Structure formats: C-alpha cells, structure tokens
Amino acid sequence: MAKLLVKLQRYFRRKPVHFFTLLALYLAAGSLVFLHSGFAGEPTVTGSQRSPGAGEGLGLPYLGVMQLSRGFKAAATMPEGGRWHGPWFKSTSKEPVERGKVGDYSSTRSRALRGRNGREKEEDRARYIGCYMDNTRRRTLRGVSFFDYKKMTVFRCQDNCAERGYLYAGLEFGAECYCGHKVQASNASESECNMECKGERSNTCGGVNRLSIYRLELAQESARRYGSAIFRGCFRQPDNVSIALPVSQLMLNMSVDKCVDFCTEKEYPLSALAGTACRCGFPTTLFTLHEREDEQLCAQKCAGEEFESCGTAEYLLVYQTQVQDNRCMDRRFLPTHAKQLVALASFPGAGNTWARHLIELATGFYTGSYYFDGSLYNKGFKGERDHWRSGRTICIKTHESGQKEIESFDSAILLIRNPYKALMAEFNRKYGGHIGFAAHTHWKGKEWPEFVANYAPWWATHTLDWLRYGKKVLVVHFEDLKRDLFVQLQRMVGLLGITACEDRLLCVEGQKDGNFKRSGLRKLEYDPYTPEMRKMISGYIKTVDTALKLRNLSGVPDDYYPR
C-alpha cells in the first residue's frame, strides 16, 4: 500500500495538471451529492387534519396555529386588487354558501390589546368586563375571529385583536377568539365561563356559547387597516366641507375600494365616504379627526358592496390612504446656532427615538444625540453625526444621568415610561436591535435576570437625578404621549421655543409611527418578571412617584399600578 502511494505521489509531481483535474472532479461530485440530498431529503407535506377533540366543532379543520374566519378570509392570501376586504358592517342575514360550515365562525370588525391573565395585573393591556352570552347565528363580537385548539391563550387573543385595531377581545370554548368594537349581548353568570384555555390551563377562556370579554385599554390607534388604507373612524361632516375636503366625486356604485383608490389617485391622505359621495383632503383645523362619533351613525351600506359601510351625507366614514402627508416631512438643521442646549432625556427603552421622530416632524428641524448610532443616521436622523454641542439641532438625545452631564444642558424634556415596559423594550433592543426582539434563550437564560438587577435601579435614579440637577425640566410620560399625542407634542414643542402650526401637528398624527415601531406579533406569551423582580420594581415606582409629587408634578400614571 505504501509503495502504491509513493508511486502516485511521484506521478502527480511529474504531471500536476492531472492532480488538479482529479481534485476538481472530486469537489464537483461532492457538491452534486450535497445538493441532491438537500432537495430530496425534505419530506413532502400533503396537509393533515386531526379528528375534533372534545371542545371542537364538527367539520372544523385543524390548522396548527390558527384559522382566521370570514372577517379576514385567508390570513396569507391577498384578494384580487391587493386589498383586504374586511366587511366592517356585514349583515349576518345573508351569507355565502361556502361560509356555512359548522365551526367556521364569522364576524365583522376589529380593535384591542392584551389583558387579564387570571389575575388582571398583566401589563395593563386590557380590563376584564365579564362573561357574556353568545350565539352562533348572531355573534356578540362581530369582528374578525380565529381559532387555535392547541395553544390559545388570553394574551394571544388580545394581541391579535389589538393588532387589527379592535376595542374588545372575547374568548370562547377554550380555543376560540372573537374581536369587535361593540358588545351586543347580555351578561351571563361568571360560573358559565368555566373552560380552561387550551394553551394556558391557569386561565379561563369562556365556555359553551359563553364569552370571556376584555376591554382593550391601550388598543393601538389607527391599527384597523382596510387593505392599504387605515381606518380612522366615523366623523360628523364639517361645516365647511368643501373647504375641509376640497376634492369630491359622485359615485353611484360606491365602495370603500373605489373611494380610497380615487383619493389615492388624487394624492390626498384622507378618503371620506359620504353615502354616494367620495371626498378627499388633509386633516386640518377644520377637520381634525379628534372627535369620533358612534360608528353605527355611519353604518349605511355601500351601493356597490353590500357588506361594507359607506357613511351618510351627515356622517363620514374616513380612511387614511397610502399617500404620504408631506406637510410635515421637510427637515433641516437650525439656520443659526442654538444659544441653549435642550436635552431629550430618558431611560433606555422609554421611547426616545420615537419622541425624536415626532419632534423632527413637528418642528421641521433635526434632533441631535449625545452618542452616535449609525443605524439611526441611516434611517434619516441626520443630526446623529453632529457633535452634541454643535448647536445645529433642536434638542439632544441622552440617557446620561450624572450631575455633571445633566448640568451641561440648559433645559430638558424628561420622558418617563412604565419601567416594566421600558426594561423589556431595552432588553429587546440590546439583543435584537431597534425594531428586533431578543431570542427566547436570552429571556430564559441568565441575561434577563442580570439585566433587570442592573437596569431597574437605574430607571429610578435616572429620573431622580434629572429632577434634582436639571435646570428647567418638562416631564412627559410616554403613556400620555401615546394617548394624547397632539396636546403632549404641543407642550414639548413649546419648551423648544417653536410655535408649531396646528396643521403640521395634525400631519404628525398621521405619520406618528415612523420606522422604529416593533410589531406586536412577537410579544412574549408569558410574564418574564418574577415576584422578586416585581417587588423590587414596585419600590422604585413608589420612589419616583413621591419625587414627582414633591415637585408639584403629577405622579406616575395609574397604569403603573397595581404591581
């Protein structure tokens, strides 16, 4: 064998070309084998069903994760024209034949967030309002619905309803989730909501024809989408409608699609349906979109689509189109160097980047930073590269909390957020980026406990230091900014010495999310805080609350409690 190897070695030394040719052929053959195994080794899934369990309706196919009912049709398939057709005001008296299957429950609207986890103190997502009767022929919550007969939880139902913009979320039969804007049934005894959630044995998910209903307290604003358009609500027609909504078109065969497409073509961000008239315009002081009416006042069926509502001559149904409102998109550096340095101070994870986005839109000037973040610069925060003392930016982002650093600024906007939310947001940013998420292994490993132990005390000391050493501090709570953006943004801009045009602020409301909003679809389905963590954080909340009140400021928002 050794002699053979020596002969081969001598041969290839004399003719190296042959050696490299054989080597290339060997590598090519190996690559082909690898590719073949990659394609041939994958099993073919033909689709499987499991027989109905004890809590399932007959004929209901098992879809693994969830099955969306009639309201959204198929979750992954877009209808013709590229727009979802969620029938917001759909009548239940006329239904297509293919939707008549038992268990294929339907509904007609959407809006909410998360809540009760058997103890109703989960992250202020929702408030449990009781057990209600339900009827398969006329649903109590007539919005979108979905089923998960294996992993349904209270959080999952609330989160999915919230992402679609509903006000209520209801669970039934241990595995069914219904969303809606109005509860259209009477109360039932609490003892009748007695079925455990399929994916969360410690919680109740309704009963047989009984719904456990939650009111979603922090439902995401403007979350209800109608295809490419965003549903804004039902509003009374303004007095000077021809000025407030200057472009109009009579449409005898009216539908939401037609009106939205018309206003999109005319390049207006608002599409208002008024019976057979379609009106387009901008949000202005004449039509602020701040005073919503009961949607039943707009519930007149469309002439061109019986399962849609098209408003009336007096009450307009308004959608926001994909057209960008450019009245607040221009931004530049300050024309002259600022004489004072204004800090936009916050604990990490408290929404500083979002607040910068709002301030830039509202003022038209770039914001700066105490740091340099290339990813933020690439996303349009052009002040990120300037030195924080350059004087070319309207305010400076900072997370610093030492006396020397704080006294470097002449005034400050202090943004405070619920520590439970802020800690999780910063943990996600640290391990997943500005709009990413930390991996499950990080939450379950040693990283999360160590993070809370180090960062929770900082949440308190950050606020206390700014209250103590700050020269002129305007306190803004993140929760108040989300709830009442127009008023809170006016306060912030006022401190910056800018007189903001109201129409510009209304424009900001329509562009408020920006590029740094995490999707709610990957929120944790369990509480990462241990009782020891909660006890520690509750103590810090009380300390900050007391410090705020000692300075004649409003304390922390009520939704920080109970903890």
Side-chain angles (χ1 to χ4, degrees):
M1 185 67 182
K3 289 182 179 180
L4 178 62
L5 290 174
V6 170
K7 287 182 179 179
L8 285 172
Q9 187 179 14
R10 288 175 179 173
Y11 175 77
F12 285 125
R13 277 181 182 174
R14 288 195 299 269
K15 299 183 179 181
V17 174
H18 291 183
F19 172 75
F20 288 113
T21 303
L22 285 172
L23 181 63
L25 289 171
Y26 174 77
L27 293 174
S31 299
L32 288 172
V33 170
F34 176 77
L35 289 172
H36 175 74
S37 64
F39 285 110
E42 287 188 8
T44 303
V45 180
T46 57
S48 61
Q49 293 185 355
R50 67 180 174 93
S51 56
E56 298 176 36
L58 296 173
L60 183 66
Y62 174 64
L63 298 183
V65 178
M66 64 177 68
Q67 169 185 324
L68 289 178
S69 78
R70 290 189 292 266
F72 256 56
K73 299 182 181 175
T77 55
M78 194 69 102
E80 239 178 88
R83 180 172 283 132
W84 292 111
H85 293 274
W88 305 117
F89 297 98
K90 183 173 177 181
S91 167
T92 54
S93 59
K94 285 175 96 175
E95 295 190 322
V97 176
E98 75 262 24
R99 296 176 181 171
K101 296 178 183 179
V102 178
D104 184 14
Y105 302 126
S106 168
S107 310
T108 347
R109 294 221 218 158
S110 113
R111 202 171 207 223
L113 208 39
R114 182 191 164 195
R116 177 190 179 197
N117 194 358
R119 39 185 191 235
E120 204 184 346
K121 63 179 182 182
E122 268 308 302
E123 282 200 305
D124 67 356
R125 295 177 180 278
R127 177 170 55 87
Y128 178 69
I129 63 170
C131 182
Y132 285 78
M133 297 181 181
D134 196 21
N135 189 312
T136 55
R137 294 184 178 180
R138 191 166 181 79
R139 289 291 174 191
T140 300
L141 295 175
R142 299 171 189 173
V144 67
S145 62
F146 72 94
F147 317 130
D148 187 347
Y149 287 91
K150 193 174 183 180
K151 297 181 180 179
M152 179 62 74
T153 65
V154 173
F155 168 88
R156 191 173 204 173
C157 177
Q158 293 169 349
D159 199 46
N160 276 276
C161 289
E163 286 294 316
R164 292 169 174 83
Y166 288 100
L167 290 170
Y168 295 96
L171 295 106
E172 182 171 335
F173 226 52
E176 300 171 4
C177 176
Y178 297 89
C179 312
H181 284 285
K182 192 174 181 181
V183 179
Q184 304 185 62
S186 55
N187 283 90
S189 169
E190 285 296 321
S191 61
E192 294 177 38
C193 284
N194 53 14
M195 297 187 72
E196 292 179 338
C197 302
K198 294 293 183 181
E200 192 178 35
R201 299 286 180 182
S202 59
N203 272 341
T204 301
C205 285
V208 179
N209 290 331
R210 295 294 183 268
L211 280 168
S212 297
I213 296 183
Y214 297 83
R215 163 87 185 191
L216 299 159
E217 300 296 327
L218 295 178
Q220 295 179 19
E221 286 299 319
S222 304
R224 192 191 325 166
R225 294 184 177 269
Y226 199 94
S228 60
I230 303 171
F231 179 78
R232 297 298 298 270
C234 176
F235 301 89
R236 184 184 291 273
Q237 178 175 285
D239 293 333
N240 300 315
V241 66
S242 59
I243 299 175
L245 300 167
V247 175
S248 63
Q249 175 77 40
L250 183 66
M251 295 182 178
L252 298 179
N253 198 28
M254 173 71 86
S255 71
V256 176
D257 267 358
K258 289 184 175 66
C259 189
V260 167
D261 289 343
F262 171 74
C263 293
T264 300
E265 183 181 338
K266 296 295 182 182
E267 297 189 346
Y268 282 95
L270 293 185
S271 171
L273 291 82
T276 55
C278 174
R279 298 186 177 277
C280 314
F282 295 92
T284 64
T285 52
L286 295 176
F287 195 46
T288 63
L289 302 183
H290 287 167
E291 298 178 6
R292 295 178 64 155
E293 302 287 349
D294 186 337
E295 290 175 23
Q296 292 301 316
L297 297 172
C298 290
Q300 177 176 298
K301 289 182 179 180
C302 294
E305 177 54 69
E306 64 173 322
F307 295 136
E308 295 176 359
S309 175
C310 279
T312 68
E314 187 177 357
Y315 292 97
L316 311 180
L317 204 61
V318 179
Y319 289 84
Q320 184 172 320
T321 71
Q322 281 191 317
V323 175
Q324 183 170 270
D325 189 343
N326 289 317
R327 296 175 300 165
C328 59
M329 299 308 292
D330 59 301
R331 284 168 286 176
R332 63 189 189 279
F333 289 103
L334 292 173
T336 58
H337 286 261
K339 295 179 181 179
Q340 294 192 327
L341 292 176
V342 183
L344 177 60
S346 74
F347 175 78
N352 198 303
T353 301
W354 180 54
R356 287 178 69 184
H357 164 76
L358 297 176
I359 289 171
E360 289 194 359
L361 295 188
T363 64
F365 296 114
Y366 289 121
T367 58
S369 176
Y370 196 80
Y371 321 98
F372 169 67
D373 188 329
S375 67
L376 292 179
Y377 179 84
N378 293 334
K379 286 290 185 178
F381 289 96
K382 299 303 180 185
E384 193 74 19
R385 277 188 177 174
D386 267 38
H387 188 274
W388 65 279
R389 285 185 177 274
S390 71
R392 297 207 306 159
T393 53
I394 193 68
C395 64
I396 311 297
K397 165 188 174 176
T398 180
H399 299 311
E400 302 302 307
S401 56
Q403 179 179 355
K404 181 180 177 182
E405 289 79 5
I406 292 172
E407 290 179 347
S408 300
F409 294 95
D410 300 293
S411 58
I413 297 169
L414 178 59
L415 190 62
I416 304 175
R417 187 182 187 184
N418 184 326
Y420 293 94
K421 301 281 187 67
L423 288 168
M424 292 178 69
E426 175 59 10
F427 191 72
N428 275 321
R429 187 206 63 79
K430 187 174 182 179
Y431 290 99
H434 281 286
I435 56 173
F437 293 85
H440 183 75
T441 52
H442 292 134
W443 291 102
K444 288 295 188 181
K446 65 179 182 179
E447 292 93 341
W448 172 242
E450 290 178 355
F451 178 86
V452 173
N454 293 325
Y455 277 66
W458 182 19
W459 175 85
T461 58
H462 182 277
T463 299
L464 297 176
D465 283 355
W466 277 95
L467 292 176
R468 181 179 180 183
Y469 302 119
K471 297 172 186 175
K472 183 181 177 184
V473 179
L474 172 69
V475 174
V476 176
H477 293 285
F478 175 87
E479 293 75 16
D480 292 338
L481 185 59
K482 284 186 67 177
R483 193 178 296 116
D484 194 358
L485 185 143
F486 190 88
V487 171
Q488 296 301 324
L489 197 52
Q490 273 185 321
R491 294 177 63 222
M492 296 163 71
V493 170
L495 181 79
L496 298 172
I498 302 291
T499 303
C501 168
E502 284 193 34
D503 282 356
R504 188 171 183 114
L505 293 178
L506 291 169
C507 170
V508 176
E509 286 188 313
Q511 322 282 334
K512 63 184 180 181
D513 287 341
N515 297 321
F516 288 89
K517 181 182 174 66
R518 284 187 179 88
S519 166
L521 298 178
R522 275 195 55 192
K523 293 190 179 81
L524 288 179
E525 293 194 10
Y526 60 88
D527 183 359
Y529 292 101
T530 64
E532 293 76 18
M533 291 177 184
R534 288 189 174 277
K535 184 178 179 181
M536 174 182 63
I537 294 171
S538 291
Y540 294 137
I541 291 174
K542 291 175 183 176
T543 301
V544 169
D545 185 63
T546 301
L548 290 170
K549 289 176 178 176
L550 284 174
R551 287 160 178 77
N552 295 319
L553 300 170
S554 59
V556 299
D558 292 338
D559 50 19
Y560 286 24
Y561 298 100
R563 291 292 180 185

